[in-house]
Amino acid sequence: MNLSVKIVTVTSLSVTLIASSFTSAVAKPIRYLPSGGVMYTLEYSSPDDPESSDTARWGRIERNGRVTPLSADLNLNQVTDADYSVETGLVYVLAEGWSTSCELWSFDPDDAVGSLTQIATLSRPSFSIAGCESLAVNDAYGEVAVSSGDAVLDIGVVNSFDAVSGEFSVQDSGFDDGLNDLYSAMDDTVQGFLTMRGTGHFTLWGGMEGAIMSGRIKVRNPMIHSVKFDSNDTPWLINRGRNGVKMGKMNIVRSKAKWGKTLREAGTRNMWPTDAIVFIPSVF
């Protein structure tokens, strides 16, 4: 199945809100146990960010917040988000997120280095910074959605991609929550299309129904960068704070999240900088 690329749009969905079960607030961090699968991550590497990594490795997030590296360096710069397609069995990656041209890559999660392939370049007619921050796969429609802050490709549907020229045909379409057009995190599920901003503001969209729920996850020093639903339709998100990156379990209805420990490499215990988490279900 060939996935097309799209700059954020919403499909018509039948939405049923499933509130995650949360107990009263506790001091100790939660364990990272997404329902029905495993959460993975890609390191964030950028020459412009002194707090980033020197490598961009593919890794598995363990329940205690340790990250087990599963690949050598993928040599991808500024990976701002990624997502997994059940239909194709591939992970789709958004790289060069803050360059003048974003890049879309894919790889087999069992052989990240050997299967790494560049699919497309989301080029623009000017030299303005692209600002491609988030990506979500919609398997039902065979689409990859990309959120871009570019002045030309704010929110549009990519109709076609020429593999030879690398050009896209784009038309304006999508949705607006009244703030601006750049989402730092988003994901698609039977529950709805969830968009988030670095500030913690979020909107759950229901296709033709439009915005059906909005709120704000209160986080100290918010820098939300990625969100992914697990098999129980519970969103998990990451926040890059002053003391590294933590993953949180989000309750949409209550506009709250509970957080786990800082992500650290399993062997060295060094902090694992990332802007991207990827949920892969155990059973398809």
Side-chain angles (χ1 to χ4, degrees):
M1 178 179 186
N2 293 322
L3 290 178
S4 61
V5 179
K6 142 189 255 216
I7 309 293
V8 185
T9 189
V10 181
T11 57
S12 179
L13 297 168
S14 174
V15 179
T16 302
L17 294 178
I18 304 174
S20 302
S21 176
F22 285 81
T23 58
S24 57
V26 293
K28 69 177 183 178
I30 65 168
R31 305 198 64 147
Y32 295 144
L33 294 169
S35 176
V38 178
M39 200 70 73
Y40 296 82
T41 178
L42 283 154
E43 282 179 298
Y44 184 84
S45 177
S46 173
D48 302 321
D49 187 348
E51 296 182 359
S52 72
S53 175
D54 293 330
T55 56
R57 295 172 295 175
W58 172 241
R60 181 179 63 245
I61 301 176
E62 313 294 353
R63 63 181 63 191
N64 59 359
R66 300 288 188 255
V67 179
T68 301
L70 301 176
S71 79
D73 186 9
L74 298 177
N75 294 308
L76 293 176
N77 189 49
Q78 296 176 345
V79 172
T80 50
D81 209 359
D83 200 8
Y84 176 74
S85 168
V86 173
E87 289 294 322
T88 65
L90 299 176
V91 173
Y92 293 84
V93 182
L94 192 60
E96 296 291 348
W98 297 105
S99 70
T100 54
S101 297
C102 305
E103 297 174 354
L104 184 64
W105 296 73
S106 70
F107 63 79
D108 182 332
D110 293 326
D111 181 20
V113 175
S115 62
L116 185 65
T117 304
Q118 184 174 354
I119 300 173
T121 298
L122 303 178
S123 59
R124 29 214 29 89
S126 69
F127 290 100
S128 62
I129 297 300
C132 296
E133 278 218 72
S134 51
L135 174 153
V137 170
N138 183 332
D139 274 322
Y141 289 84
E143 296 166 341
V144 177
V146 175
S147 172
S148 169
D150 182 85
V152 178
L153 304 181
D154 267 354
I155 293 180
V157 179
V158 174
N159 294 324
S160 61
F161 166 61
D162 189 320
V164 177
S165 66
E167 296 293 328
F168 287 90
S169 299
V170 182
Q171 68 181 36
D172 292 332
S173 178
F175 52 92
D176 182 10
D177 61 9
L179 296 176
N180 58 58
D181 294 330
L182 181 59
Y183 304 110
S184 63
M186 60 186 185
D187 200 15
D188 192 21
T189 182
V190 294
Q191 188 175 169
F193 197 100
L194 180 65
T195 59
M196 298 193 70
R197 302 180 184 280
T199 57
H201 289 89
F202 69 87
T203 302
L204 182 68
W205 305 85
M208 297 302 292
E209 295 89 350
I212 60 175
M213 182 174 294
S214 297
R216 179 176 181 266
I217 299 293
K218 294 178 176 59
V219 183
R220 183 177 295 180
N221 304 316
M223 289 184 67
I224 307 298
H225 281 282
S226 187
V227 61
K228 293 293 175 286
F229 286 95
D230 65 17
S231 295
N232 198 37
D233 277 348
T234 298
W236 292 77
L237 64 161
I238 55 173
N239 184 63
R240 198 204 287 198
R242 294 176 180 174
N243 299 316
V245 178
K246 293 182 178 180
M247 192 159 67
K249 185 178 182 180
M250 178 180 172
N251 186 312
I252 297 178
V253 175
R254 296 176 61 186
S255 298
K256 291 184 178 181
K258 288 193 172 184
W259 302 90
K261 293 182 178 180
T262 298
L263 298 181
R264 295 181 180 275
E265 185 179 339
T268 65
R269 299 296 192 268
N270 292 333
M271 288 193 292
W272 182 280
T274 181
D275 282 1
I277 54 175
V278 179
F279 177 74
I280 298 182
S282 300
V283 180
F284 307 144

